[in-house]
Amino acid sequence: PRCHPCQRFTLKLIEFYNGMKKTDKHDFELIFVSFDKKEDQYNECISRMPWPCIPFENDSKETLARKYETEGIPHLVVVDENGKVITKDGVDGVFSDESAEYYPWRPKRLCDLWPMKILTKGGLVDSSTLDDKYLMLYFSAHWCPPCRDSIPFLSEAYTKLKAKRDDFEVSCGIFKACLVII
């Protein structure tokens, strides 16, 4: 049996890889980690690939799959030189950024996503009031009964903690999702 999503992605990835290698814009390498059950399937698959592969008989693929939370295929993880994950969504990156303009597809920094103003009990305030504070993002929704039920506990914890320290804040957003800032 053939995995059509993998075949389609592999063709796209070969184009992407070859294009990236031609530009010398990024110093990178791609390593194929196979989940083929039979060696002849593995050999057929790698015969079309221009990049290095982990050998078929090597059992590190299971360890790598767990480490990088591979739950399905195709799966492309981009890691830095220390093995730290930059993105687990490299498949989307290859399809949506064919020219590699945004490679290695780092998530946007919080400061690039953050609104200029936040809503507090006292009204809208400039986000700079949060400078030098710890941030915890709490996503919730009013339509969710367990989330709604947790609000009294959150309020009580907020009040107790606020009495002891002032390096955090709680603010609710437009979508009735709460943001806990500590």
Side-chain angles (χ1 to χ4, degrees):
R2 302 251 183 233
C3 174
H4 294 292
C6 288
Q7 287 179 323
R8 181 173 162 254
F9 177 66
T10 300
L11 292 174
K12 192 71 164 168
L13 186 58
I14 289 170
E15 285 177 34
F16 181 85
Y17 178 86
N18 288 336
M20 291 268 290
K21 287 295 187 179
K22 284 179 188 171
T23 66
D24 283 333
K25 185 177 172 182
H26 301 283
D27 188 19
F28 80 102
E29 190 53 80
L30 191 151
I31 308 297
F32 177 62
V33 182
S34 173
F35 281 100
D36 285 310
K37 303 256 187 260
K38 297 179 180 175
E39 192 166 6
D40 62 326
Q41 292 171 330
Y42 168 84
N43 289 332
E44 180 185 341
C45 187
I46 67 168
S47 70
R48 298 183 301 267
M49 296 179 178
W51 46 73
C53 311
I54 291 182
F56 178 77
E57 63 280 350
N58 190 298
D59 59 0
S60 64
K61 63 186 172 192
E62 297 298 329
T63 304
L64 290 167
R66 276 191 306 279
K67 177 174 179 63
Y68 295 113
E69 300 174 1
T70 302
E71 295 177 2
I73 54 174
H75 186 74
L76 179 64
V77 178
V78 179
V79 298
D80 67 14
E81 63 277 0
N82 298 311
K84 184 178 176 195
V85 173
I86 294 172
T87 183
K88 293 179 189 172
D89 202 9
V91 172
D92 182 59
V94 168
F95 280 116
S96 65
D97 184 28
E98 295 179 23
S99 64
E101 182 180 348
Y102 302 105
Y103 178 84
W105 310 304
R106 291 187 189 282
K108 289 186 178 182
R109 299 172 308 163
L110 183 60
C111 64
D112 296 330
L113 301 170
W114 203 255
M116 297 300 289
K117 304 261 184 204
I118 59 166
L119 183 62
T120 68
K121 293 287 185 196
L124 283 174
V125 297
D126 192 272
S127 288
S128 65
T129 61
L130 303 175
D131 289 353
D132 300 321
K133 292 190 178 188
Y134 295 100
L135 303 179
M136 289 174 42
L137 306 179
Y138 170 57
F139 298 89
S140 181
H142 189 70
W143 53 260
C144 171
C147 295
R148 191 173 51 243
D149 293 345
S150 71
I151 290 173
F153 299 106
L154 180 61
S155 295
E156 182 181 340
Y158 169 84
T159 303
K160 287 180 181 176
L161 191 55
K162 196 69 171 171
K164 294 179 182 176
R165 54 192 289 185
D166 195 36
D167 60 348
F168 76 100
E169 191 53 71
V170 176
S171 178
C172 291
I174 296 172
F175 300 106
K176 296 190 178 170
C178 288
L179 167 68
V180 179
I181 301 158
I182 295 189

